[in-house]
Amino acid sequence: MDSQDDIPTDRLPLFPFTRTDPFHPPAEYARARRECPVSPVRLWNRQRAWLLTRLEQVRSVLQDRRFSGEFARPDFPAVTEARVAIDKAERAFVGMDNPRHQHFRRMFTREFSHKRMMALRPRIEAITAGLLDRMAAKGPPADLVEDLAVQLPALVMCELFGSPYEDRTYIMKCAAGRHGMRQSPAEAAQTARDLVDYCRTLIDAKERVPADDMLSRVIAEYVVPGTLSRDELADICAMILRAGHDTTTNMIGAGTLVLFQHPEQLAKLKADPSLVERAVEELLRYVTPVQFAPRRVALEDVELCGQRIRRGDGIFAVGPSANRDADAFPDPDRLDIERDASQHVSFGYGIHQCLGQGLARIELHVAFNALFARFPGLRLAVPLAEVPFKFDSQIFGVYRLPVAW
Amino acid sequence: MVGGAFKVRVDTTKCVGAGRCVAQAPTVFDQSEEDGTVVLLTDSPDAALRQAVEKAARLCPAGAITLADA
């Protein structure tokens, strides 16, 4: 492959590319995987960045300490000016390198351990059943996004934080106002601050009246002895609330639609609900809600796949592309709920891989199985052309999903 | 050798507590109640578990799991 590191930035293609097909990522990625897997692009601010489009590169760079994940760096790449404002406002460990990242993450890791998450499963089943009861009473038709996809993760977050269920509307609003491609930097920063303020109030309440929940335990163990400040905890709580919300919402909405579009696959799942674990991995791969992440910046000149990445160049490890890499996933554009898709990078990879992935998986397993058990005849209630897709968001999905049964 | 006796090692300094290993092979891996990092329940799992442990190593985001032939 020819070196492309001397092309003037002005002549590089502008990133992000426009997504036009709801079921497949932009065609530019497929071309890049074939012809130039490490591809240079230009960002909105004329910064040069590189797209990593194949699975093995994504895995290796995300484990390579020559690339930094510090959101606060002035050269950290972003797809919009509003995203820069969000990055600058982010003070939780999601935007830190080690050793600081590990210092903070480890205070929360056991709260998200496999066993703790499995113990939450009965509560998640009960919450889901309650939501489906309401949906049944209301319809048909119903909007699956409003009635299930948005509600379930917000209620599960309330459960985890020990916050009142009434707070879910506020959590949903703050989480949703974050990924638009057209929001203003001031608006984005304000939404981020609002959620941190909410978390401060929640921490105050838990300090006064501790209970058996994650927040109370972290306060007792780390805030009281002075290992973690209240401000640091509020920043981390806001990060967890946001991360625990939008992605799961979009997986439930888009995942259900993808199953509707593949009736023979859906029939298999309905006939054998034990397929749900594989089906969810395949849907995570196929949908890949997070469009333009993970991101890094090169700390030194690095040669990658024949290209010379310069110090200060941005990196996008493009999950939607890596998850369609034919070397890792044969016939990658075909949905096959029986394949083993578990090495997808929809939760990222490396030290920042999603802390809440176990929780997300349980929510998705429960949601899909309960949904099709309760409504075996569930179907799309409008023509596909009328489904509003999130083409204008950094997290792909559907705004609404009208369903009938 | 596929399916042969093997040893498994974990590096707790690298572990990020993603929990993928426990989901793959719960009789081999656990997570500490203290900080959620990996706890090795046995360093010589049954040969029948080799595939599951190899997959756990492949899926570990931090590269904290290694296998060696016994």
Side-chain angles (χ1 to χ4, degrees), chain A residues 8-51:
Chain A
T9 310
D10 284 347
R11 284 178 40 214
L12 294 173
L14 181 65
F15 184 75
F17 307 130
T18 307
R19 183 170 176 151
T20 51
D21 185 330
F23 301 108
H24 301 288
E28 283 91 340
Y29 296 153
R31 192 175 329 126
R33 287 196 300 276
R34 276 193 317 269
E35 294 167 9
C36 186
V38 177
S39 278
V41 291
R42 166 175 56 100
L43 302 179
W44 62 278
N45 59 355
R46 303 183 62 196
Q47 185 187 352
R48 183 173 50 180
W50 298 84
L51 307 184

Side-chain angles (χ1 to χ4, degrees), chain A residues 23-25 30 33 54 282 285-287 320-336 339:
Chain A
F23 301 108
H24 301 288
R33 287 196 300 276
R54 307 200 67 159
E282 174 68 344
R285 178 191 80 83
Y286 193 84
V287 174
S321 178
N323 284 343
R324 299 290 180 112
D325 183 340
D327 283 353
F329 309 101
D331 199 1
D333 292 328
R334 193 169 63 88
L335 182 83
D336 175 3
R339 81 161 89 207

Side-chain angles (χ1 to χ4, degrees), chain A residues 257 260-261 378-384 387 401-404:
Chain A
L257 179 61
F260 286 156
Q261 297 303 111
L378 195 78
R379 62 185 190 279
L380 191 58
V382 297
L384 183 62
V387 175
L401 192 67
V403 293

Side-chain angles (χ1 to χ4, degrees), chain A residues 55-56 59 63 101-102 105-106 109-110 113-116 222 281 340 342-343 349-351 353 355 357 361, chain B residues 12-20 22-23 30-37 55 58-63:
Chain A
L55 185 77
E56 283 311 318
R59 287 170 54 98
Q63 283 194 338
H101 160 269
Q102 180 163 295
R105 178 165 168 142
R106 286 204 172 170
T109 314
R110 70 168 179 192
S113 73
H114 186 72
K115 275 187 192 155
R116 288 277 174 94
Y222 298 108
E281 297 310 308
D340 178 1
S342 56
Q343 60 169 334
Y349 196 67
I351 63 168
Q353 193 182 55
L355 180 62
Q357 59 182 294
R361 285 191 167 94
Chain B
T12 51
T13 66
K14 284 186 179 174
C15 177
V16 295
R20 303 222 73 188
V22 188
D30 197 357
Q31 282 171 282
S32 137
E33 267 303 310
E34 200 178 312
D35 65 3
T37 53
K55 190 168 164 191
R58 166 82 184 160
L59 295 182
C60 174

Side-chain angles (χ1 to χ4, degrees), chain B residues 47-62:
Chain B
L49 289 169
R50 181 157 189 149
Q51 219 183 345
V53 175
E54 277 173 351
K55 190 168 164 191
R58 166 82 184 160
L59 295 182
C60 174

